[in-house]
Amino acid sequence: MKTKVLLVILILIAVMANGQARFDKGYFIDHQNARVECLIKNVARAKTPAEFSYKLSESGVLFVAQPKDVNEFGIYDGNRFISSEVMIDASSDDEQNPSDEKNPVWSKQLVFLAVLVDGEATLYHYKIPGMERFFFKVGNTSIQQLVYKRFRIEMNHQYQMGTNNLFRNQILSAMYGISINVTTVDKLTYDLDDLSRLFIDYNKEKNSGYSVYHRKRENGAFHLRITPGLNITSVAVDNSLIALVDFDFGTQAGFRIGIEPELIFPYTHKSLALVLEPTFQYFSGSKVSGNQKMIAKLYTVEFPIGLRYYIHTKKSLTFFVNAFFIAGPTLHPIRTFTMKVRRSRVSI
């Protein structure tokens, strides 16, 4: 049962995440250097796309373009990508199964590269599952990969990890100056923020105009709320020992109280969240039937878990829809009887 519930939740995550795609104003430049204004499907993701989808109008036909089809594309106030044939190190970044080779394993590929800093010195980013690479060029030179590689070394029949930090020498050789020297480069890490700051400093030092197209890192979020509410509850008891002696406590309004942890998934435009809402509820009543009196005092603790889908409107209004799985409530009678309990509830 738990496996089926998990499968349903994962399917809902996939369906809702797919629904996060929206079309934003953008452009692409074809191989004749013609700039075409369009609407680009902006799917929230951290990786470099292998292709992009676009429309020429809101009601237009959906097209798909790959690196071989365009020179560049971008979303206004967002990411910018160029198409380039580059030599890329195809070694895996998986440290659980590292390479024994210190040097890069080169492969020629036509790919999209995200532009991070564009100026006299330009920094590019390429990321797919299991691989992250940075590229650069200075002036009119060709685009080259900045080499960083973790590899395995065998010493005295034991394995240790080594690091090829050639990217530091590449930068020092091509961009040496006041802000870029042996001291600064020696502390440099193979990281988006670290490399971006260095390229910005270089362009400032050269007094060259530059643009920054940092790929937006959409982080997740965690919220914790108290969730009071109102229940309308009805309780009935069937006596399994004495026929015709049943008790109906009728309908009663009561309060419930819970706590709601909410985890908003990253890269979903803050529209998809995992929600857990443990809730405590209480019912108390008494009823006389013939010469018997029944007192019912019940409390329940429920653990709903599910997904929340936020709908963000252009008028700064936000709606949400919940899809919860609720296991059977845990009933805790304070006074027990050998009777069957029928219980129904409407929550507000």
Side-chain angles (χ1 to χ4, degrees), residues 34-180:
R35 187 185 184 95
V36 179
E37 301 295 319
C38 62
L39 297 170
I40 294 179
K41 188 176 182 180
N42 186 4
V43 181
R45 56 187 168 189
K47 68 178 184 179
T48 304
E51 59 186 26
F52 69 96
S53 302
Y54 69 93
K55 299 189 294 187
L56 299 180
S57 65
E58 288 282 359
S59 58
V61 178
L62 186 66
F63 298 96
V64 176
Q66 298 176 343
K68 63 182 178 62
D69 302 315
V70 300
N71 289 338
E72 178 181 325
F73 80 94
I75 295 173
Y76 292 119
D77 298 323
N79 297 334
R80 176 189 168 202
F81 298 90
I82 66 163
S83 170
S84 181
E85 187 174 59
V86 294
M87 298 298 294
I88 185 168
D89 177 16
S91 305
S92 171
D93 289 342
D94 183 7
E95 293 192 7
Q96 300 301 318
N97 186 27
S99 170
D100 295 325
E101 175 60 47
K102 174 182 178 180
N103 297 317
V105 180
W106 295 115
S107 171
K108 181 181 289 187
Q109 298 182 30
L110 178 62
V111 297
F112 282 127
L113 298 177
V115 182
L116 299 181
V117 181
D118 185 17
E120 173 66 19
T122 303
L123 177 66
Y124 305 93
H125 188 213
Y126 179 78
K127 184 176 183 180
I128 60 174
M131 180 187 296
E132 182 175 28
R133 304 286 185 263
F134 292 94
F135 294 79
F136 84 118
K137 72 169 185 150
V138 178
N140 295 321
T141 62
S142 59
I143 298 176
Q144 299 179 49
Q145 182 190 315
L146 290 168
V147 176
Y148 171 84
K149 182 177 179 179
R150 297 270 288 165
F151 60 95
R152 186 170 59 177
I153 305 172
E154 183 178 2
M155 296 182 64
N156 299 324
H157 305 290
Q158 293 184 342
Y159 289 104
Q160 297 180 359
M161 294 301 297
T163 306
N164 182 343
N165 288 309
L166 181 61
F167 76 98
R168 293 173 179 166
N169 291 336
Q170 291 174 281
I171 290 174
L172 190 62
S173 176
M175 301 166 58
Y176 183 82
I178 297 174
S179 60
I180 300 179

Side-chain angles (χ1 to χ4, degrees), residues 201-325:
D201 289 344
Y202 178 84
N203 285 307
K204 286 181 178 179
E205 181 182 318
K206 294 297 181 181
N207 292 319
S208 67
Y210 67 93
S211 300
V212 179
Y213 301 90
H214 271 246
R215 304 188 66 184
K216 297 178 180 178
R217 291 183 171 180
E218 184 184 324
N219 297 319
F222 179 77
H223 301 144
L224 188 64
R225 305 183 184 93
I226 301 296
T227 56
L230 177 66
N231 285 340
I232 299 175
T233 306
S234 63
V235 174
V237 178
D238 295 333
N239 193 324
S240 60
L241 300 179
I242 305 175
L244 304 179
V245 182
D246 299 329
F247 296 88
D248 187 345
F249 294 92
T251 301
Q252 182 183 115
F255 289 99
R256 66 183 176 89
I257 188 71
I259 187 170
E260 182 190 87
E262 177 189 45
L263 177 63
I264 297 180
F265 294 107
Y267 300 106
T268 61
H269 303 303
K270 298 182 179 179
S271 293
L272 188 62
L274 179 67
V275 181
L276 176 67
E277 190 180 352
T279 305
F280 171 82
Q281 301 158 79
Y282 179 76
F283 179 91
S284 177
S286 63
K287 187 74 175 180
V288 176
S289 177
N291 61 353
Q292 293 193 23
K293 181 179 180 180
M294 172 71 75
I295 299 174
K297 293 183 178 180
L298 306 171
Y299 66 91
T300 65
V301 180
E302 294 179 341
F303 294 92
I305 184 171
L307 297 175
R308 173 167 295 162
Y309 177 54
Y310 286 95
I311 303 170
H312 304 285
T313 69
K314 294 183 178 179
K315 296 182 179 181
S316 298
L317 296 175
T318 300
F319 304 90
F320 65 82
V321 179
N322 291 334
F324 278 114
F325 169 76

